[in-house]
């Protein structure tokens, strides 16, 4: 058994298809989605269809929430707000209902998944420091939890205290707890434009982060053709 754990797809079909092909080539048997299927890029429906066909566990992201409601977008940054409105205009009521039905956190086998934080999953805070991770760890009842939202692959490990580890690969050790960010499939923000996701193999307790080049030019051309803000295309190349 090997899990492919991915999130922040953000309607980037080329990046998502590349991740799924790599995961299958690496022997992934199970798929897990950390939320934010839609938003920013131009293929929300195709990406949602794929996730639903996988039939995998999914948690709700803040863009999934916003795209499925008619709430005021005043508190979103203008780029995100324009993309959310564009996305709302393309989803059917059934698709919005499905997004709205997603839970904030879930137990998968013996690990937890959440989009943003475990201490307040519906508030969409960002875990970017040892302190943020400590708050989340106090609500983590499994040894492992996978999250997203920051679009930056990262590993927090709680032993006697909380430490950050490089998001390359790590072995799960007894007595420690892990809060692991899979990075973003469709809009990485660690200045590396390549799609990011995690492979987790329970039998060996190995967690590996994968980074993959994809057809970014095709994604950018679709963004421009859709009339979405030009900045949403250019930021992809910069990985921010
Ligand atoms: Zn996101």
């Amino acid at each position: 058994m090997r899990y492919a754990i991915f999130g922040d797809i953000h309607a980037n079909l080329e990046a998502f298809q590349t991740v799924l092909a790599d995961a299958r080539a690496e022997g992934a048997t199970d798929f897990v989605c950390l939320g934010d299927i839609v938003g920013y890029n131009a293929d929300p429906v195709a990406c949602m269809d794929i996730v639903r066909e996988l039939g995998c566990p999914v948690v709700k992201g803040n863009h999934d929430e916003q795209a499925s409601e008619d709430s005021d977008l005043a508190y979103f940054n203008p780029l995100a707000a324009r993309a959310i409105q564009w996305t709302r205009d393309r989803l059917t009521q059934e698709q919005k209902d499905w997004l709205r039905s997603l839970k904030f956190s879930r137990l998968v086998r013996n690990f937890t998944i959440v989009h943003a934080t475990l201490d307040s999953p519906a508030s969409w805070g960002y875990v970017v420091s040892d302190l943020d991770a400590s708050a989340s760890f106090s609500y983590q009842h499994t040894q492992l939890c996978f999250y997203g939202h920051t679009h930056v692959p990262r590993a927090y490990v709680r032993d006697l205290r909380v430490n950050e580890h490089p998001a390359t690969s790590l072995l799960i050790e007894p007595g420690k707890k892990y809060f692991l960010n899979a990075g973003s499939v469709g809009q990485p923000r660690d200045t590396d434009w390549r799609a990011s996701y995690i492979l987790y193999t329970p039998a060996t307790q190995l967690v590996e982060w994968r980074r993959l080049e994809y057809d970014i030019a095709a994604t950018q051309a679709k963004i421009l053709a859709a009339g979405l803000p030009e900045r949403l295309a250019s930021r992809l190349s910069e990985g921010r």
Side-chain angles (χ1 to χ4, degrees), residues 90 121 208:
R90 269 143 197 91
E208 300 168 89

Side-chain angles (χ1 to χ4, degrees), residues 96-236:
K96 290 179 184 176
D97 290 344
W98 182 79
L99 285 174
R100 196 178 300 120
S101 75
L102 298 174
K103 295 187 168 68
F104 289 108
S105 70
R106 286 189 60 165
L107 185 67
V108 181
R109 197 168 174 259
N110 58 348
F111 59 85
T112 310
I113 58 173
V114 70
H115 184 66
T117 75
L118 284 177
D119 45 307
S120 186
S123 307
W124 310 118
Y126 291 88
V127 175
V128 291
S129 70
D130 298 355
L131 197 65
D132 303 329
S134 296
S136 212
F137 273 126
S138 2
Y139 291 83
Q140 184 174 323
H141 305 298
T142 53
Q143 187 184 21
L144 274 171
C145 178
F146 297 94
Y147 77 109
H149 194 43
T150 65
H151 298 206
V152 174
R154 194 164 280 196
Y156 292 101
V157 183
R158 192 174 83 174
D159 194 351
L160 293 174
R161 47 171 301 210
V162 174
N163 287 300
E164 194 184 319
H165 284 243
T168 49
S169 71
L170 57 80
L171 269 176
I172 304 302
E173 297 170 38
K176 299 182 182 180
K177 272 189 173 179
Y178 298 82
F179 194 60
L180 306 174
N181 193 310
S184 170
V185 171
Q187 194 195 76
R189 293 182 192 156
D190 58 344
T191 71
D192 180 345
W193 66 273
R194 297 173 302 163
S196 176
Y197 81 102
I198 280 176
L199 282 173
Y200 167 50
T201 312
T204 56
Q205 291 292 70
L206 180 65
V207 175
E208 300 168 89
W209 281 260
R210 305 275 298 169
R211 295 307 289 259
L212 302 167
E213 296 187 359
Y214 67 94
D215 188 355
I216 189 171
T219 306
Q220 290 171 320
K222 286 183 185 175
I223 291 167
L224 300 179
L228 284 161
E230 192 276 335
R231 180 72 193 124
L232 293 178
S234 61
R235 70 184 294 176
L236 288 179

